[in-house]
Amino acid sequence: MAAINTTTQIENNYDRFITELTALTRKYGVAIQSVGGVYLADERGEFDKVTYNADITSGDLYPNFPGN
């Protein structure tokens, strides 16, 4: 059974994600604008198999959650 993340763990993971996303933006010249489009995992490993559909012509980026 997966461990449940605490609010503090989720906040720390989010902060680390933003730090790495900032570095990726600077490295590749791609910035993401998202309003209300953030999903947070409640359990460790919950997003292990997530992939993304990205349509460069529309600028849309959608996560694929296997099994949903």
Side-chain angles (χ1 to χ4, degrees):
M1 186 170 153
I4 303 290
N5 286 329
T6 66
T7 300
T8 301
Q9 288 169 322
I10 291 170
E11 289 172 357
N12 287 338
N13 287 344
Y14 186 76
D15 289 342
R16 289 195 320 261
F17 174 82
I18 295 301
T19 298
E20 290 186 39
L21 180 60
T22 300
L24 287 171
T25 295
R26 292 173 181 172
K27 180 176 180 177
Y28 293 106
V30 177
I32 297 172
Q33 177 179 329
S34 175
V35 179
V38 175
Y39 297 90
L40 302 172
D42 292 323
E43 297 180 9
R44 183 171 291 139
E46 186 175 344
F47 293 169
D48 283 354
K49 296 185 180 185
V50 168
T51 58
Y52 286 90
N53 281 339
D55 179 358
I56 196 167
T57 61
S58 70
D60 293 340
L61 179 65
Y62 294 100
N64 294 319
F65 298 100
N68 289 343

